[in-house]
Amino acid sequence: MPQTHPATEQITPPAQAPAPPAELTLDERLTLTNAVMTARLDEAAVAYEVNTAHIDLEPVDLADVITGPVDTGPDPLPEPYPTPVAALLQRAHHRLLTGGWCAGALLDEDGAHCMLGAIRIEASGDRGLEAAAASVLLEAIRRQFGNSVDTVPSFNDAHASGRVPVRMVDRAAGLADARGL
């Protein structure tokens, strides 16, 4: 609606809105962004230089840097026991440490063995040696946990982790060596 001026009663046209700003092209926006980022990076570089001017720039001696793995895994197999049953149990213990322990199967899909599976694989088909090792292992388990343990597999499967079963194979190796088996 036209406005009237009270003194002159003249009609003045409405004020025109300012023209919208011209939209920048992609190249112009990129150039502007580049200039802003360059200024910010220059400010950051100056701030870094000021904040780190007091730090001594001594080169690092690479001989002091640890480059090897920190955890090298289980120790290598110690000097084998001189008796066959003790040596078999010692090898089975080492296999459980290096290859892994499992429950519910002689060998799982990841290649881990149960207590009896490790003894069987290390016995290399000698059923008499395998039976003697399993017997000594069951005795070592019963010494520690009482006569309520029926079999080596039932003891193995009663555990959620291999910590106790693996330790018992090691103890059985010591027992077999003490007996000269």
Side-chain angles (χ1 to χ4, degrees):
M1 170 179 258
Q3 296 179 354
T4 59
H5 196 279
T8 60
E9 292 286 333
Q10 291 182 346
I11 298 176
T12 58
Q16 290 191 356
E23 192 172 319
L24 297 176
T25 66
L26 177 62
D27 288 335
E28 291 170 335
R29 288 191 319 233
L30 288 174
T31 302
L32 182 61
T33 303
N34 186 26
V36 170
M37 292 306 295
T38 301
R40 285 184 183 175
L41 288 173
D42 289 342
E43 286 178 26
V46 169
Y48 175 79
E49 292 297 326
V50 168
N51 292 335
T52 60
H54 67 283
I55 298 175
D56 223 3
L57 295 177
E58 202 173 298
V60 175
D61 184 12
L62 293 179
D64 294 338
V65 177
I66 297 174
T67 58
V70 176
D71 181 22
T72 58
D75 293 334
L77 188 62
E79 185 68 31
Y81 285 116
T83 57
V85 174
L88 169 61
L89 287 165
Q90 184 182 34
R91 290 191 311 271
H93 176 255
H94 190 262
R95 178 173 293 273
L96 290 172
L97 287 176
T98 57
W101 170 87
C102 72
L106 290 173
L107 174 68
D108 73 0
E109 63 275 353
D110 296 329
H113 290 84
C114 72
M115 298 165 78
L116 194 57
I119 290 172
R120 183 165 290 167
I121 198 77
E122 290 298 331
S124 301
D126 187 343
R127 293 293 187 175
L129 187 61
E130 179 185 330
S135 175
V136 172
L137 178 57
L138 183 59
E139 183 180 342
I141 292 169
R142 285 180 174 164
R143 282 184 174 192
Q144 178 83 30
F145 296 96
N147 288 333
S148 63
V149 178
D150 294 329
T151 63
V152 172
S154 67
F155 176 81
N156 183 82
D157 295 346
H159 290 85
S161 78
R163 190 175 55 87
V164 173
V166 171
R167 187 176 70 226
M168 290 312 301
V169 173
D170 186 45
R171 286 191 181 171
L175 179 62
D177 181 54
R179 289 189 172 169
L181 299 175

